[in-house]
Amino acid sequence: MKALAVLKAVAVVLLGWAALALPGWAQTPAQPVDVLHWLTSASERRAANQLSAILAANGVQWRDAAIPGGGGMAAVKVLKSRVLMGDSPDVAQLIGTTLTEWADVGLVLPLNAVASRQRWAQTLFPTVMDLVSYNGMVIAAPLGIHRINTLLYNRRLFARIGLPPPTTWAEFEVVVRKLTALGIQPLAWSDEPWQIATVFEAVLLSDAGPALYRELIVQRKSSAWMDPRVERALVRLRWLRNINGETPREQAWTDAARELLVGKVAMMVMGDWAKGELMAWGASPSKDFGCVVLPGTENTHLYSIDTLAMLANGHHREATQEKVAELVSSTPAQLAYNRIKGSVPVQRDIDVASLDSCARDSWASFADPRTARVPSLAHRMAADESIKDAVAQTLWRYLTDPRMEPVEAQRRLAAVIRAPTAER
Ligand code: GAL
């Protein structure tokens, strides 16, 4: 099975993307589409190039409008202003709740025809199908599933301390003590608010468990934020930020990943796009680094699903936009793209044997009915941009003001989290 998958992957590389051309599409003159996205790091760029090559082999020209900035902070702002000015791109990396909001006001092209041709209802994971469905419409093409509760570690440094990666917080503390004694910084850290929020939600899932996490993040019950388990997560977050013994600073997630690769730090809590980046730099998940789930988050999958929406913009490119949706969600594109991006395919009937071990674990966990799958707030899966930003800012304030007690941060978080029904 594995050999067959590898053979298929090799055949795709050898034959080139023309091998993936859908019948009849390669012959017509290339149709352009403007694509706005934030896939700009080394791995992200390669993953986008992969999609662009697949489209090119099928007569679609990807005109790139990439906006750098981790977590899409800048891209989403640029996209909003372009839409307001009546200059919407044809395709946009639009994810999570932003997607439903835009679909609600008719800015997104429904993709029901593509979804039924490709039998998305039968082939996609139900969580993914739900995410791209709204009021009977299919509103985006899914690209891949990222896992946020990921702990990456440097294998060389762990061999030096002679310990396996931690599976509990008690083991984590032992690891930290050993690393510190050897003068090695334990954890990559960045004070960028979106990165703080990314680490926080993984820690929150660990301390609160999936049931309370859902009350806090999905149902957004203000009162639940005063729970002592939230306090514990906030205390742990502050501890994690300070364990390097250095004044924490803001840095791009790629710079933090670089510190892990060169052995400046031993661990990193980040979505598995960081794994994609390490691999793009030539590192191997079996030799150079490893990935496990964050302590206390076994049997849970904290996900962020990347999607491409086709925007309704009067360019009369609907047929080409549908073609884009169909191509990016085809099986070969899913495998080729996700192998580079660090995420996993959105399909439940796909053979993932050719992916790396971290990806296989993530996919198997997402597919397992016993796994609690919970959405990321920091990456827009659970609440809109303004709530996500308010939470990230509140966490940033809490961490950068040592006088703020966790209970005060809890009060402020309870205030910025509004229940979904209160929004409408
Ligand atoms: C997330 C996105 C990922 C990755 C990450 C870092 O929001 O879903 O694909 O790009 O930001 O920029």
Side-chain angles (χ1 to χ4, degrees):
M1 201 62 180
K2 191 171 176 197
L4 189 69
V6 173
L7 210 66
K8 271 191 207 156
V10 172
V12 163
V13 174
L14 289 180
L15 298 173
W17 288 112
L20 298 180
L22 298 185
W25 281 356
Q27 289 80 21
T28 45
Q31 303 292 312
V33 279
D34 300 321
V35 189
L36 191 148
H37 60 89
W38 65 89
L39 304 175
T40 53
S41 74
S43 56
E44 291 174 339
R45 190 64 263 175
R46 275 192 207 173
N49 288 349
Q50 190 74 266
L51 296 180
S52 152
I54 294 171
L55 297 190
N58 287 278
V60 178
Q61 184 203 357
W62 169 296
R63 288 205 304 222
D64 202 65
I67 314 287
M73 300 304 293
V76 169
K77 291 196 180 80
V78 172
L79 179 60
K80 273 190 186 156
S81 70
R82 279 189 59 173
V83 170
L84 285 174
M85 288 183 317
D87 176 32
S88 300
D90 305 309
V91 183
Q93 186 180 3
L94 198 60
I95 72 178
T97 48
T98 324
L99 193 56
T100 27
E101 277 163 24
W102 288 30
D104 208 22
V105 287
L107 292 171
V108 168
L109 189 74
L111 296 170
N112 295 46
V114 177
S116 73
R117 269 202 301 281
Q118 286 187 332
R119 302 177 61 251
W120 287 7
Q122 287 78 35
T123 57
L124 300 190
F125 285 115
T127 308
V128 177
M129 193 59 197
D130 278 356
L131 186 87
V132 297
S133 304
Y134 180 69
N135 275 352
M137 283 186 301
V138 176
I139 53 175
L143 288 178
I145 305 163
H146 277 298
R147 189 176 208 177
I148 310 284
N149 54 322
T150 304
L151 176 70
L152 297 157
Y153 63 97
N154 180 307
R155 287 188 186 273
R156 188 165 39 84
L157 295 180
F158 270 74
R160 253 180 87 188
I161 59 168
L163 288 175
T167 57
T168 62
W169 286 111
E171 287 177 11
F172 193 98
E173 285 178 29
V174 174
V175 164
V176 168
R177 275 201 295 278
K178 277 221 163 189
L179 289 165
T180 311
L182 288 176
I184 304 164
Q185 294 195 342
L187 189 69
W189 189 267
S190 169
D191 261 352
E192 277 190 354
W194 77 268
Q195 292 193 59
I196 292 176
T198 303
V199 177
F200 175 69
E201 64 186 16
V203 172
L204 184 67
L205 177 61
S206 169
D207 279 312
L212 179 57
Y213 181 96
R214 286 199 182 100
E215 278 183 37
L216 297 163
I217 301 286
V218 182
Q219 292 141 28
R220 305 209 293 269
K221 250 196 213 163
S222 277
S223 57
W225 283 85
M226 299 315 291
D227 191 286
R229 287 166 285 179
V230 177
E231 182 185 0
R232 200 163 68 205
L234 286 164
V235 170
R236 202 186 297 289
L237 187 71
R238 192 168 256 169
W239 176 72
L240 289 172
R241 179 176 183 261
N242 293 321
I243 53 180
N244 285 347
E246 253 188 10
T247 310
R249 61 201 159 87
E250 288 195 9
Q251 61 175 342
W253 67 271
T254 43
D255 292 337
R258 178 70 67 180
E259 291 185 345
L260 182 88
L261 179 70
V262 301
K264 185 175 181 235
V265 299
M267 299 181 281
M268 178 176 191
V269 181
M270 185 47 65
D272 50 11
W273 50 84
K275 174 205 66 178
E277 195 68 4
L278 293 168
M279 288 174 72
W281 295 333
S284 144
S286 56
K287 289 206 283 291
D288 304 311
F289 70 92
C291 44
V292 286
V293 294
L294 192 69
T297 67
E298 309 74 32
N299 309 319
T300 66
H301 196 299
L302 176 51
Y303 64 82
S304 171
I305 300 169
D306 277 320
T307 43
L308 287 182
M310 309 300 142
L311 301 188
N313 58 8
H315 289 174
H316 307 297
R317 291 180 180 156
E318 288 80 358
T320 315
Q321 288 167 302
E322 287 197 354
K323 208 188 270 189
V324 172
E326 187 151 355
L327 285 164
V328 300
S329 25
S330 68
T331 302
Q334 280 284 304
L335 285 170
Y337 166 88
N338 284 294
R339 184 177 295 123
I340 304 170
K341 182 67 172 68
S343 40
V344 297
V346 294
Q347 288 146 349
R348 50 179 151 154
D349 62 350
I350 208 165
D351 182 358
V352 292
S354 64
L355 300 184
D356 65 79
S357 56
C358 310
R360 292 199 304 271
D361 284 352
S362 168
W363 188 89
S365 156
F366 199 84
D368 188 337
R370 290 162 303 181
T371 301
R373 284 166 292 271
V374 294
S376 159
L377 176 80
H379 297 276
R380 309 176 179 80
M381 297 294 116
D384 67 16
E385 203 73 8
S386 59
I387 295 182
K388 163 190 83 79
D389 288 346
V391 167
Q393 278 305 325
T394 306
L395 292 167
W396 181 87
R397 278 188 179 283
Y398 161 67
L399 287 183
T400 54
D401 176 0
R403 287 161 311 171
M404 196 193 291
E405 295 294 332
V407 68
E408 175 58 18
Q410 284 175 273
R411 264 189 229 112
R412 292 187 187 195
L413 287 166
V416 297
I417 291 281
R418 296 187 308 274
T421 43
E423 258 179 9
R424 301 204 171 260

